Amino acid sequence: MLEQVTLLCGALTGLALLLNLWRLLKGPTLHDRILALDTMYINAIALILLLGTHMGSPLYFEGALLIAMLGFISTVTVAKYLLRGDIIE
Amino acid sequence: MTLGTEILISAILLLGAGMLLVGSIGLARLPDFYTRLHAPTKATTLGIACIVLASMLDSWINHDLVSVKEPVITLFLLITAPVTAYMLSKAALHYRVRPVKRTQNQHLINTARNQQPPKATDMTE
């Protein structure tokens, strides 16, 4: 049962990624696109964790941790650039 | 692995994936930027927490592995999601992104936008 549930959860997360992609392409302002990217990396972390559960391997958690850190840094950097016109003053 | 733990892990996984889907539907459907900001920052945090908890339980029960990386991911996302939301809303505030018309207390937007940083002399005293 757990394998089917894992595949179903992967399908739901993929649907969520498609919705984020729609907002990323459509989004009226630049802020919407940044927010859609931010949500996309969180959903990608969930997809990688589901893949690790499905494969039964603990090696995927490092990749998830890396995506979490770099996604946060990139979002904060773009927001800072929008606010000040410069990243490091 | 007994049936009880399998049902428990499946329920937590389904709750997490459902939360992620609800957050993304909110991101795609809500009317303006500030409401769209509210949807994923809460729902995706809870969804990631549930999925991480389920995968931790799975690797603990099925493979006898206990690692500290999964709580670190959850803790990191719990700390950084409000910071991201704050910086994005601050950027949208200064770019004068319009809220929907029925948002209450719209005059407070100007108050927040015109706020000045404290003077340097006040910091030293």
Side-chain angles (χ1 to χ4, degrees), chain B:
Chain B
M1 183 172 189
T2 62
L3 187 65
T5 57
E6 198 167 341
I7 286 176
L8 177 69
I9 292 175
S10 303
I12 297 175
L13 266 182
L14 276 178
L15 180 66
M19 272 293 167
L20 285 176
L21 190 58
V22 165
S24 295
I25 287 174
L27 176 68
R29 293 276 303 163
L30 284 173
D32 72 333
F33 174 73
Y34 300 100
T35 50
R36 281 199 287 265
L37 180 66
H38 144 89
T41 47
K42 283 168 194 151
T44 54
T45 310
L46 187 57
I48 284 285
C50 284
I51 285 180
V52 164
L53 181 66
S55 104
M56 237 169 85
L57 280 177
D58 178 60
S59 68
W60 179 40
I61 292 171
N62 290 341
H63 306 286
D64 276 336
L65 284 173
V66 180
S67 83
V68 290
K69 277 174 227 144
E70 297 97 329
V72 165
I73 295 174
T74 309
L75 195 64
F76 190 80
L77 282 176
L78 279 178
I79 292 172
T80 57
V83 178
T84 308
Y86 167 74
M87 294 204 67
L88 277 179
S89 63
K90 183 98 174 156
L93 200 67
H94 283 277
Y95 269 66
R96 295 167 194 272
V97 176
R98 294 247 171 247
V100 285
K101 282 227 168 54
R102 62 177 187 274
T103 305
Q104 292 182 348
N105 293 329
Q106 291 209 23
H107 60 282
L108 291 179
I109 292 179
N110 279 321
T111 311
R113 194 187 288 135
N114 295 327
Q115 205 173 22
Q116 296 294 321
K119 297 264 171 44
T121 52
D122 297 340
M123 305 284 282
T124 54
E125 288 299 317

